Amino acid sequence: VQLQASGGGLVQAGGSLRLSCKASGSIFRLNALGWYRQPPGKERALVARIDVGTMIIPGSTDYADSVKGRFTISRDNAKNVWYLQMNRLKPEDTAVYYCNADISTDGPYDYGKDYWGQGTQVTVSS
């Protein structure tokens, strides 16, 4: 299984970016999905996560306090892709963003393993 993150870049404060992460390989089910970030000189921390949900009810979401109301995580299970829409970006959002996924590969009784993408740089200028 591999995760490929994309969509990072340089943006001015107040602007928007959308990050994407695509999972590929022998995937039975994507479980919880998330985005983390690591600012320069700091530890990696959770930005947003989304649970698997059902066919009728979308997965519940959770956000870091610093991004609530500005960032939105979503997923497209059919495409094995999830997104992080980032609006009203601030200089303090500058970081390397990593996608994360709990993925089951061995059928319905596989509770899943943790996978990480390679990271994509987001730089917000003031």
Side-chain angles (χ1 to χ4, degrees):
V1 174
Q2 290 187 329
L3 305 188
Q4 181 68 45
S6 61
L10 173 63
V11 64
Q12 287 189 330
S16 298
L17 283 174
R18 188 176 82 155
L19 306 183
S20 301
C21 188
K22 180 170 177 60
S24 60
S26 180
I27 297 169
F28 176 78
R29 182 181 62 240
L30 296 183
N31 303 312
L33 305 172
W35 289 95
Y36 288 70
R37 69 186 181 187
Q38 187 167 15
K42 297 185 178 181
E43 294 187 352
R44 191 178 301 187
L46 177 70
V47 176
R49 69 185 299 274
I50 182 168
D51 289 331
V52 63
T54 68
M55 290 184 67
I56 300 174
I57 302 173
S60 60
T61 57
D62 188 31
Y63 296 92
D65 288 343
S66 59
V67 307
K68 284 180 181 176
R70 300 188 297 123
F71 291 10
T72 302
I73 188 170
S74 61
R75 60 192 291 165
D76 185 336
N77 292 327
K79 298 179 179 178
N80 288 340
V81 175
W82 58 107
Y83 307 96
L84 184 68
Q85 178 66 44
M86 305 186 293
N87 298 328
R88 290 183 283 133
L89 282 160
K90 304 176 181 180
E92 51 263 43
D93 294 319
T94 295
V96 177
Y97 284 71
Y98 297 89
C99 55
N100 171 262
D102 183 270
I103 299 176
S104 299
T105 59
D106 295 331
Y109 302 108
D110 174 9
Y111 289 104
K113 279 192 343 183
D114 217 31
Y115 294 88
W116 290 90
Q118 85 285 6
T120 184
Q121 177 70 46
V122 171
T123 302
V124 184
S125 63
S126 57

